[in-house]
Amino acid sequence: MLISDLCKTDSVNANNVAVQVKVNGASHSHEVEPRTLLVHYLREDVGLTGTNVGCDTSSCGACTVHLNGESVKSCTVLAVQADEMEVTTIEGLANGDEMHPMQTCFMNNHALQCGYCTPGMVMASVSLLDENPNPTEAEVREGLEGNLCRCTGYHNIVKAVLDAAGGQK
Amino acid sequence: MIPVAFDYVRADSTESALSALAQHGDEAKLMAGGHSLLPMMKLRLAVPSVVVDIGRLSDLSYVRDGDDHLAIGALTRHRDVEMNSAIAEHAPLLQAATANVGDPQVRHRGTIGGSLAHADASADTPSALLALGGSLVVNGPNGERVIAGEDFFAGFLESVLEPTEMITEVRIPKHTGAGYSFQKFNRRAQDWAIVGVSAQRSDAGAKVALVSMHPTPVRATAVEEALNGGANATEAAELAAEGVSPSSDLNASVEYRQHLARVFTKRALVEAGF
Ligand SMILES: Cc1cc2nc3c(=O)[nH]c(=O)nc-3n(C[C@H](O)[C@H](O)[C@H](O)COP(=O)(O)OP(=O)(O)OC[C@H]3O[C@@H](n4cnc5c(N)ncnc54)[C@H](O)[C@@H]3O)c2cc1C
Ligand code: FES
Ligand code: FES
């Protein structure tokens, strides 16, 4: 059973709201319950399951997407808050078969093991370099403090982001 | 975790937000960035039946120069406070505290007004408000009133705001070139302060405020009085846990918090140039 169906079973007079969200460049229109979280909207209504739910308590960053170009935790944003806005998910980074430079750098630097944190980690890293194109190693570590990885020990993730920053020069 | 169902109202002006609050009373909650409200709604600690979304009131997102103070719109996000050059110049303590809030994703969404309205003793921004002697402009059914920061926090997660009122602006007196320090002790990246300290010098004397040392954001008045009476940083910092009631939790016992308050107040006072 989908979480959105579960909501429907115990909803009391919920007044659904029409939302129009541009996801990875394509416009989507849906009626949602106001309490629908953006991450559930993306996974279940739009059908893009690349964005993961890790903690569901705003801590781990696995659900990170870009809202109007900035990293946000989509488990802590309502779909109605994204109405008329642009969302980019991990699926929207590659250009056809050509991976985004950050994805390539993650691959080349072995910056993932199980891969669960990776979509959020990559989205947070892209946002970090958008705001600070030439970060120091310390700035990368600080800038990714909202993203937890249980596998890599972060070392290779930091290397990958510095590698991507070098490539942008 | 999914919040209890609610009705959603999107405000397109301060007036429409206030009239929604007037209509629904304490059944309704304003939502700015949602980064305190939504986690509480997901845990079902908050169950508003109406959520009034003020997140799109872009006319309340600004930093203006008001001669002797900076006027910051309530909907200004943490990220915009952190990056603002006037705040960096005239109230760098607020910038330092804000840069310590959560992580970049949180700072992209959370607002200064929401952070202060939430009145959380473990939040960073209220301590800066208190140490800078800031105030809040509040609108409600009876018009506008200005509340001094030190009169604003009323109890655990409680302020003097009425359910029908809304913060529209935060005013911070300029402290250009004056010594200051923000200290935060935590054990994990991104986490809340186990203890934090804001210290600010000014012509009027010292102001020091503590994070996570009392049920509310609180001034360290014993420290301030000692400094203003001529004590040095070491002597004054010894009084950091006087007159406040910290609690124990899994991060720290009362005694450990009192110890941390003295240690970090000393560091703050030295850094601020006392
Ligand atoms: C993972 C995580 C980590 C965090 N870490 C920290 C931290 O280290 N330090 C820290 O200080 N904070 C931290 N925060 C809290 C963060 O700063 C929030 O952004 C802030 O507390 C609330 O701002 P908001 O705009 O999101 O408010 P909301 O969540 O929208 O609202 C909070 C409360 O204020 C009320 N409110 C909002 N705006 C107004 C207004 N203009 N007038 C009257 N009432 C209003 C709402 O009704 C609600 O009761 C963290 C949050 C998260 C999710
Ligand atoms: S799932 Fe959103 S922060 Fe962990
Ligand atoms: S690669 Fe497994 S959690 Fe990060």
Side-chain angles (χ1 to χ4, degrees):
Chain A
M1 186 187 233
L2 292 177
I3 290 173
S4 49
D5 294 333
L6 204 72
C7 289
K8 276 162 203 150
T9 59
D10 78 343
S11 65
V12 210
N13 284 334
N15 289 332
N16 285 2
V17 174
V19 293
Q20 195 168 23
V21 188
K22 203 174 220 186
V23 185
N24 302 332
S27 218
H28 294 266
S29 301
H30 291 95
E31 292 246 320
V32 298
E33 257 203 272
R35 61 176 167 165
T36 308
L37 301 172
L38 179 60
V39 67
H40 294 147
Y41 175 73
L42 293 170
R43 291 179 59 89
E44 297 177 3
D45 292 306
V46 180
L48 293 172
T49 54
T51 306
N52 288 337
V53 178
C55 63
D56 201 11
T57 55
S58 330
S59 304
C60 75
C63 63
T64 301
V65 300
H66 295 178
L67 187 59
N68 282 353
E70 291 175 321
S71 59
V72 302
K73 292 175 170 175
S74 61
C75 73
T76 314
V77 176
L78 297 172
V80 287
Q81 289 178 291
D83 184 25
E84 293 165 7
M85 293 196 186
E86 293 192 14
V87 174
T88 308
T89 68
I90 190 70
E91 290 94 338
L93 281 190
N95 183 2
D97 285 340
E98 192 189 323
M99 280 198 280
H100 185 279
M102 189 65 77
Q103 293 173 305
T104 309
C105 289
F106 265 62
M107 193 174 79
N108 292 345
N109 288 278
H110 306 285
L112 57 148
Q113 289 182 23
C114 80
Y116 199 83
C117 70
T118 312
M121 202 59 92
V122 169
M123 296 311 287
S125 300
V126 171
S127 179
L128 189 159
L129 291 195
D130 283 346
E131 291 175 356
N132 182 2
N134 277 308
T136 61
E137 184 190 327
E139 285 169 341
V140 173
R141 288 184 184 274
E142 287 260 305
L144 292 179
E145 70 178 315
N147 293 74
L148 304 180
C149 174
R150 298 287 82 165
C151 303
T152 67
Y154 302 101
H155 220 65
N156 289 351
I157 294 175
V158 174
K159 269 200 234 161
V161 179
L162 289 170
D163 191 10
Q168 282 186 353
K169 270 178 208 159
Chain B
M1 295 178 302
I2 296 163
V4 172
F6 56 85
D7 284 338
Y8 175 76
V9 177
R10 186 178 296 158
D12 54 15
S13 64
T14 303
E15 293 69 38
S16 68
L18 289 176
S19 70
L21 287 182
Q23 187 187 340
H24 300 288
D26 55 13
E27 302 266 280
K29 270 276 178 202
L30 294 175
M31 179 174 66
H35 267 51
S36 291
L37 184 61
L38 288 174
M40 287 185 66
M41 287 172 63
K42 287 173 69 179
L43 292 169
R44 304 199 171 194
L45 295 171
V47 283
S49 52
V50 180
V51 168
V52 181
D53 185 359
I54 53 173
R56 288 169 202 240
L57 300 185
S58 50
D59 57 331
L60 288 184
S61 171
Y62 58 80
V63 179
R64 288 186 196 131
D65 195 311
D67 283 340
D68 63 339
H69 68 276
L70 294 175
I72 306 171
L75 269 295
T76 310
R77 298 172 315 154
H78 297 313
R79 166 81 188 164
D80 298 323
V81 170
E82 192 185 345
M83 301 310 291
N84 186 275
S85 57
I87 293 175
E89 184 179 354
H90 301 298
L93 172 61
L94 178 64
Q95 182 193 39
T98 304
N100 269 281
V101 169
D103 53 51
Q105 290 97 317
V106 170
R107 297 196 295 276
H108 285 148
R109 296 295 297 164
T111 66
I112 188 168
S115 178
L116 297 174
H118 194 55
D120 189 340
S122 57
D124 302 310
T125 43
S127 71
L129 177 84
L130 292 178
L132 285 159
S135 54
L136 300 124
V137 181
V138 168
N139 271 259
N142 305 318
E144 187 175 289
R145 61 177 180 138
V146 179
I147 306 172
E150 59 189 295
D151 299 328
F152 184 72
F153 303 107
F156 180 71
L157 294 183
E158 210 181 303
S159 75
V160 299
L161 274 186
E162 299 291 336
T164 49
E165 287 182 318
M166 166 174 159
I167 303 170
T168 51
E169 188 175 282
V170 180
R171 290 186 184 156
I172 304 289
K174 284 187 186 172
H175 283 73
T176 322
Y180 71 94
S181 176
F182 180 75
Q183 301 285 330
K184 177 171 179 172
F185 178 73
N186 58 12
R187 292 201 302 202
R188 292 183 310 188
Q190 169 225 82
D191 228 346
W192 299 81
I194 296 172
V195 168
V197 183
S198 281
Q200 179 69 55
R201 291 178 74 108
S202 75
D203 296 341
K207 281 208 171 85
V208 180
L210 303 172
V211 182
S212 285
M213 280 300 290
H214 200 65
T216 61
V218 70
R219 293 250 303 273
T221 45
V223 177
E224 295 176 355
E225 280 162 19
L227 289 170
N228 293 336
N232 65 28
T234 308
E235 293 158 354
E238 278 306 304
L239 306 173
E242 300 285 311
V244 294
S245 317
S247 52
S248 284
D249 57 26
L250 71 147
N251 283 314
S253 64
V254 169
E255 293 74 17
Y256 184 42
R257 276 210 161 80
Q258 291 167 330
H259 167 74
L260 289 172
R262 289 188 283 267
V263 170
F264 283 89
T265 299
K266 164 114 186 254
R267 288 186 197 173
L269 296 182
V270 169
E271 191 176 78
F274 285 104

